[in-house]
Amino acid sequence: MARIQTIEDSRLEEARTRKKHWKRWGPYLSERQWGTVREDYSPGGTAWEYFPHDHARSRAYRWGEDGIGGISDRHQMICFGLAMWNGHDPILKERLFGLTGNEGNHGEDVKEQYFYLDSTPTHTYMRMLYKYPQAEFPYAWLVEENRRRGKDQPEFELLDTGVFAENRYFDVFVEYAKADVEDILIRITAINRGPQSAELQLLPSLWFRNTWSWGKDPRRPSARIATSVPGSMCTELDHWQYGKRWLLCAGHPELLFTENETNFQRLFGGTNRSYVKDAFHAYVIRGDKAAVNPGQVGTKMAALYRLALGAGESVTLKLRLTDMEPLAAMDSNSPMVGAMNAPGFGERAEGVPGTNDFGAGFDAVFAKRQKEAAEFYNSRVAKGLSSDANLVMRQAFAGMMWNKQFYHYDVRTWLDGDPAGPPPPKERLQGRNHDWTHLYNDDVISMPDNWEYPWYAAWDLAFHTIPIALIDPDFAKEQLILLLREWYMHPNGQLPAYEWAFGDVNPPVHAWAAFRVYKIERRLRGVADRGFLEKVFHKLLLNFTWWVNRKDPEGMNIFEGGFLGLDNIGVFDRSAPLPTGGHLEQSDGTSWMGMFCLNMLAIALELAKEDPAYEDVASKFFEHFVHIAHAMNDMGTGGRSLWDEADGFYYDVLHLPNGGEHFLKIRSMVGLIPLFAVETLEPEIVDRLPGFKRRMQWFIDNHPDMPEHIETTQRSARGVRRLLSLVSRQRLKRVLERMLDESEFLSEYGVRALSRFHADFPYEVEVNDHVSRVTYEPAESGTGVFGGNSNWRGPIWFPVNFLLIESLQKFHHYYGEDFKVEFPTRSGNESDLWQVAGEISRRLIRIFLRGKDGRRPVVGGAEIFNDNPHWKDLVVFYEYFHGDNGAGIGASHQTGWTGLVAKLIEQSGE
């Protein structure tokens, strides 16, 4: 690593070289394990119903754990999280609540208020906030009201219930600061924001993931009360993988112990074999003292703090999870108790407070880590930003870091069942993911949203790596490589889409992301990681072959792809057989493959600079791209291209069984995606590669119908520049005329996924006496396709907007300042494409920034975020955004790809 600038950069280098395992502990605990495919053993794949929220407190998970504001080691053997009770709730608050995909009127949706405020890439400092109502949490009301509402109505949110009125809630901040790799200080601060005193019980909890109940590994870890240093209570942990650890709890909380085992009596009317998972719920809420183990030992424990807070009062709890034997690691200036010799345990490093120091030394570690975090992010944040833009960027990065999650899924074991359990239903052997038995996942992965989407998605993950690369290029590269490993990638070359259907098809953006991460790291560190690029390239050759063999059925370079991540954008469900019969030639499917070709070409040319063996494969991708461009623009598979000259736009083409062909004239992102396939071949690169140059010229000379797709109008001092693009100069002007029209695609907050034209002119198709319709819907979806929790018929989506911006920049790189367009269309103002890209970037960024009226568009009508001092600096990163007013829609913590806003701020300012 060439450029170490801060202490955090030094830690990242230590982690990269494995000198110190700074990333062993992090926010890897999920926010929702219930309702996932992994925990579903039903015959029909009904994951939401098989393991509902009501079971979560009482039923041991098989594949992972969840909690609030929690951490775990990277294999999730040991977990820590926060539970709480306000004296009124019917259940102990141990995990976030939300509606299932079948309960919500727009699909699954978390119904809580929580915010990620900070995290370094090594998680040496982390901070999050949970807002806990003082009144009874309205579980039933949220379920019933959302069930009553139709898809034409907005979701009923926790803020709509009024539980935060008069500030009658607790702000509960959870902070972590690592004194060393295995020495984690924890600070939990509860503030009564209400006008009256209120009681609160906090239960910082520690437990082991249940790995012993399934008949494969009987080794059982243990947590037991131990002798502590003065002024605290201590639990000793003993795990077969990590050895001994200790949890020190300052003050004198009541230590509770139970087992992380299913309550068979409550759930199934059976007999419990031990203490059970929901014991603390029974103890705290029902007063059942027999629920916890009087021997103070188990696989799950909690420190119960009973608090009474006056109006505006705050209380801070201090805990420490450490590998240092507490009695041996006390401060020498304090009274000593017990033995001092602890061979095999961690030693206290210089500057690390003693285990009996919960005062100035403890707080000094937090102050130091906060300062280091600020220094690190100041080195990454663009200079000259406003404090508000800085805040948005910082919280975007925090969300990216907190959305890391340990993900465990062994499909073969999941299908076959465990030795200690009943055999799974036979239907599963032909059901979901049955043809992905090679897949074994046991890793920390960047999730789209730890509650709404607590599973990886292939194309989401590719976009995640772009902002992540700005702060932790190593983690970004690891994520891209991970999905290409043989225990992820299918033997046929397909990448796993997501756990609900690994065989679904996501857009092939992995090569694009890999090359972007490669270039970002080279700029940040001054070093190009060719090893990473080569590793990714070779595996992506397999994926490219899969696409060509499976998604180009007639071998004509026109591609199908299924839904391709755009969910409900078409008039038909594109992942299902067409109701008309026949097949669909997809403008976006073909365009994604054109982009894939150019990405692979760019990587091959980069690698060929030092290894001429890559020149031949670069020639292959050059030729393949030109064939795709020719097919898409000139002939299709039967004489019809995907370009409609009359409308000046690209459409899907429906091929009917009787030989008929029809444009599906929907003005959507499908017709803008052809812009993504663009690349310039500079003469200084081509001239360095004589084999590639010779083959390229031969191809051009011997395919006289092809050169129209290779523009050579621009020259530099070094020779001819060549533009490879699916969209010619003339067609680019026509497409942009629609895209930059504020009555069509262009919004004040970015580019819509569907033209506003369809608000007045819906697109309709009648098949078998049923009319299918696509109309402009700027907010939630009015259809149930893909669960109804996603909508591509009008809202603004960051991933495709990001690619549009990059494409405009690439076109500008070739055409320069002489190529101008009206921006917006019919405004009379002309701009070059670099200026257009910059303005679209700033429109997207403005979704999150305070306007002149002091409001953030992202929060929509939630006034509490605009006028309440305890809310106004909290930023939420939604899945997508209202096409007209920029309000956040969908998953509310999807700093996954919406975290791209940090990259936009970094490169375009505000």
Side-chain angles (χ1 to χ4, degrees), residues 37 39 68 89 149 151-152 177 250 348 414 490 570 582 666 677 778:
V37 167
E39 300 294 340
I68 297 174
D89 284 355
R149 296 189 178 195
K151 293 193 179 298
D152 59 336
R348 185 154 60 93
W414 178 74
H490 198 280
I666 304 168

Side-chain angles (χ1 to χ4, degrees), residues 105 190 317 477 545 671 800 879:
N105 60 324
L317 312 183
K477 291 185 294 183
T545 303
V800 287
E879 182 181 6

Side-chain angles (χ1 to χ4, degrees), residues 54-60 95 261-264 266-267 276-278:
D54 185 56
H55 283 203
R57 70 177 183 273
S58 305
R59 190 168 170 182
R95 57 190 48 80
E261 297 272 12
T262 297
N263 186 338
F264 289 97
R266 174 183 176 252
L267 296 178
V276 291
K277 181 178 176 180
D278 58 9

Side-chain angles (χ1 to χ4, degrees), residues 38 72 209 236 245 256 512 557 588 667 721 773:
R38 285 153 285 156
S72 76
R209 176 165 62 90
E236 180 184 275
R245 296 288 187 277
L256 309 176
W512 166 80
N557 299 301
D588 55 336
R667 296 181 196 169
R721 304 174 70 220
R773 177 182 295 106

Side-chain angles (χ1 to χ4, degrees), residues 489-627:
M489 175 186 273
H490 198 280
N492 65 18
Q494 184 180 8
L495 298 185
Y498 44 80
E499 68 173 28
W500 287 89
F502 283 126
D504 266 356
V505 182
N506 278 185
V509 291
H510 225 72
W512 166 80
F515 200 42
R516 287 287 269 136
V517 167
Y518 170 83
K519 290 188 287 187
I520 290 171
E521 181 185 32
R522 183 174 61 188
R523 173 169 60 86
L524 289 176
R525 291 178 165 172
V527 177
D529 190 348
R530 283 179 51 86
F532 158 72
L533 203 59
E534 284 191 285
K535 185 178 293 188
V536 168
F537 183 78
H538 288 294
K539 283 297 187 75
L540 284 173
L541 288 174
L542 300 176
N543 183 238
F544 187 88
T545 303
W546 175 84
W547 269 91
V548 171
N549 290 340
R550 296 297 183 94
K551 296 301 176 182
D552 180 14
E554 299 182 28
M556 300 295 289
N557 299 301
I558 294 289
F559 291 82
E560 303 173 20
F563 90 106
L564 282 171
L566 307 187
D567 298 4
N568 66 340
I569 201 165
V571 70
F572 304 123
D573 181 350
R574 301 197 302 172
S575 66
L578 295 174
T580 60
H583 68 276
L584 199 62
E585 291 181 349
Q586 291 181 224
S587 178
D588 55 336
T590 305
S591 302
W592 286 121
M593 280 304 290
M595 176 184 167
F596 195 179
C597 271
L598 291 182
N599 297 148
M600 293 294 277
L601 170 61
I603 294 173
L605 292 175
E606 177 71 15
L607 295 173
K609 291 177 182 178
E610 297 185 20
D611 186 347
Y614 287 98
E615 291 187 52
D616 285 348
V617 74
S619 299
K620 155 68 181 170
F621 285 112
F622 167 79
E623 294 174 15
H624 204 133
F625 171 77
V626 177
H627 283 301

Side-chain angles (χ1 to χ4, degrees), residues 170-173 187-192 198 200 202 305-310 312-318:
F170 300 102
D171 267 341
V172 182
F173 292 91
R187 201 160 63 179
I188 301 167
T189 301
I191 307 172
N192 179 1
L200 175 66
L202 293 178
Y305 290 86
R306 303 179 191 271
L307 309 173
L309 284 75
E313 185 181 357
S314 68
V315 172
T316 297
L317 312 183
K318 298 180 179 181

